[in-house]
Amino acid sequence: MKAKQLLSIALVGAMSASLAACGSASGSSTSTAASKAEEATSAPAEAATSTAAAATGDQTVGIAMPTKSLERWNRDGSYLEEQFKKAGYKTEVTYSDNKIDQQVKDLEGLVADKVDLLVVAAIDGEALSEVLQGAKDANIPVISYDRLIRNTDAISYYVSFDNYKVGQLQGQYVIDTLDLDNAGDKTYNIEFTAGDPADNNATFFFNGAFDTLKPYIDKGTLVIPSGQNQFEQVATKQWDTATAMTRFQNILGSNYSDGTQLDVALCSNDSTALGVTQAIESDYAGTNDVLVTGQDGDEQNLANIIDGKQTMTVYKAVANEAVATLDLGIALLNGETPDDKLISDSGWDFDCTYDTESYDNGMGVIPSYLLTPTVVTKDNIQKELVDTGYYTMGDDGYPHPVQ
Ligand code: BGC
């Protein structure tokens, strides 16, 4: 069952007035990301705060993020903390340096501290079964945040973006930009770079892109000179930039040093795109612009987009992901069993789908709230990222994240 709730049908009264302004097509809003997040949550957060305060007193939310070394999780951690604090909760936030043992220890600590709710973005989706059993035994509800945690019945909900769609958007961007439907006999060379095999999202991103491009690969319009067409071959442990760079230097050395032209580097996210772009700069002999994809809107990647070194990124508004997590979290803390109605009841000013089919974590399908990602290129950075208040345009001509 899928339920989709859009702003236009969800909002009434005063809220519709303020949010309609926020969603106006003029693109001239000057609100900051913080004020936008506040605007987006003001009604639900205030309503929920008063209910939650009456029902629960001072509750604590444990927020476990994977690492500070991958840019986006710093933003997620800050937004989540800000949202829950503003709604009247205490927070404990951990970052585990991308080390699985460390995250297990951090979660053990949060359980020992008797937090009332856990929001967890896993480093390794397969490694948390035992520690989360401890959370379940202590009756602590767990939200799997952004990355699905596998092989545990301790998590009740999943909040993320439509991960398959992220890959589809990257693939479709390639099709449209190269006009592959009208390519005739012309062929283009493409190489894939995917994410961390321990991250459940990584296969969704890769499959979304690969499935979208497969008809053109089958037809011969797209050619993969390295022959690396399986997720396992193109994966990047821990989404690490240097690892992606080294692998791509090898690919360029083995397949392109004879002057073969590389047309597309399909990278699942920005940290890997950064490494691939570095490899292209250092080791690619060709002079053409390589179409490089990404995901997240990391600061350096946006600068590369402005400079023409990366072509696009798929932006996911993590401020909104935090808002959805807040409202779901409040419902759980109030002992409710949220479903698709959470979306209409919360009146979010962003698209969200309630999905009870796509994410099976090995113990059953996990009900999921999935937000919608957006393609960002040089042409719409201002409109999508700066006018919306998530980034400011610096005097240096590059966008910088507000949080
Ligand atoms: C997130 C991506 C991110 C990647 C590396 C994934 O789980 O969904 O947004 O690029 O992790 O941090």
Side-chain angles (χ1 to χ4, degrees):
M1 181 189 64
K2 291 191 175 190
K4 189 166 190 190
Q5 184 68 57
L6 296 171
L7 169 72
S8 53
I9 48 174
L11 297 175
V12 284
M15 234 190 133
S16 88
S18 81
L19 294 177
C22 162
S24 84
S26 73
S28 61
S29 160
T30 51
S31 64
T32 62
S35 73
K36 182 182 162 66
E38 188 173 351
E39 203 173 358
T41 49
S42 56
E46 272 159 23
T49 304
S50 48
T51 327
T56 59
D58 56 351
Q59 293 179 303
T60 302
V61 179
I63 299 167
M65 294 288 109
T67 178
K68 287 190 172 236
S69 65
L70 293 163
E71 186 180 313
R72 71 157 284 186
W73 305 109
N74 298 275
R75 292 200 291 272
D76 291 86
S78 312
Y79 278 124
L80 284 164
E81 192 174 18
E82 179 190 324
Q83 291 300 328
F84 278 103
K85 277 193 168 154
K86 218 186 289 168
Y89 296 92
K90 293 182 193 151
T91 55
E92 278 187 47
V93 186
T94 61
Y95 286 90
S96 309
D97 201 17
N98 249 344
K99 298 195 173 81
I100 299 163
D101 293 352
Q102 183 61 47
Q103 190 165 48
V104 170
K105 270 192 215 133
D106 289 340
L107 284 166
E108 281 168 357
L110 293 170
V111 173
D113 287 351
K114 298 194 170 45
V115 297
D116 300 283
L117 170 72
L118 275 172
V119 176
V120 183
I123 295 166
D124 182 335
E126 307 265 353
L128 302 180
S129 310
E130 208 177 306
V131 66
L132 292 184
Q133 184 59 44
K136 190 179 177 196
D137 294 345
N139 285 323
I140 302 170
V142 182
I143 298 174
S144 188
Y145 181 82
D146 200 83
R147 299 171 167 179
L148 185 68
I149 304 171
R150 299 187 50 78
N151 301 333
T152 171
D153 63 0
I155 62 164
S156 29
Y157 289 91
Y158 178 44
V159 177
S160 193
F161 281 78
D162 183 336
N163 295 303
Y164 188 79
K165 174 103 188 164
V166 169
Q168 282 181 313
L169 289 174
Q170 294 167 336
Q172 192 58 48
Y173 183 87
V174 171
I175 295 168
D176 294 343
T177 306
L178 300 182
D179 194 15
L180 294 186
D181 287 323
N182 297 307
D185 291 340
K186 192 159 169 38
T187 64
Y188 294 92
N189 292 328
I190 183 169
E191 299 292 345
F192 289 83
T193 300
D196 187 348
D199 177 352
N200 192 68
N201 287 351
T203 45
F204 278 82
F205 301 145
F206 174 75
N207 289 339
F210 199 86
D211 294 350
T212 305
L213 294 173
K214 189 166 182 299
Y216 303 90
I217 296 170
D218 291 346
K219 225 179 358 184
T221 308
L222 284 177
V223 180
I224 310 173
S226 72
Q228 297 189 15
N229 60 3
Q230 301 296 311
F231 173 76
E232 296 70 26
Q233 296 173 302
V234 303
T236 311
K237 238 178 148 246
Q238 298 216 318
W239 297 95
D240 181 58
T241 298
T243 306
M245 182 184 78
T246 307
R247 170 178 168 271
F248 216 78
Q249 284 172 330
N250 289 334
I251 284 186
L252 291 172
S254 306
N255 304 282
Y256 294 86
S257 54
D258 61 357
T260 302
Q261 175 163 312
L262 173 66
D263 298 295
V264 183
L266 192 303
C267 305
S268 283
N269 87 328
D270 280 352
S271 61
T272 54
L274 206 55
V276 166
T277 304
Q278 285 162 3
I280 291 171
E281 279 190 319
S282 62
D283 286 53
Y284 179 53
T287 51
N288 62 303
D289 284 336
V290 180
L291 191 168
V292 180
T293 68
Q295 166 186 199
D296 287 337
D298 285 354
E299 202 167 1
Q300 182 60 53
N301 297 78
L302 293 177
N304 281 352
I305 289 177
I306 301 270
D307 291 344
K309 296 179 191 168
Q310 181 173 324
T311 321
M312 63 89 85
T313 191
V314 176
Y315 184 65
K316 304 189 297 192
V318 294
N320 295 339
E321 199 173 4
V323 169
T325 306
L326 170 72
D327 287 326
L328 172 62
I330 289 173
L332 293 174
L333 285 165
N334 287 342
E336 294 162 20
T337 311
D339 53 22
D340 59 329
K341 256 174 66 47
L342 180 77
I343 298 173
S344 47
D345 289 351
S346 302
W348 297 326
D349 72 332
F350 48 86
D351 287 355
C352 183
T353 303
Y354 183 65
D355 180 321
T356 54
E357 288 169 0
S358 305
Y359 290 94
D360 189 325
N361 82 338
M363 301 287 278
V365 175
I366 307 299
S368 307
Y369 294 92
L370 302 177
L371 286 73
T372 307
T374 314
V375 168
V376 167
T377 64
K378 197 173 180 169
D379 293 339
N380 69 354
I381 281 189
Q382 179 70 33
K383 174 170 168 278
E384 294 293 341
L385 300 188
V386 181
D387 293 347
T388 47
Y390 299 126
Y391 294 71
T392 51
M393 191 58 84
D395 293 340
D396 55 3
Y398 298 118
H400 302 286
V402 167
Q403 193 150 18

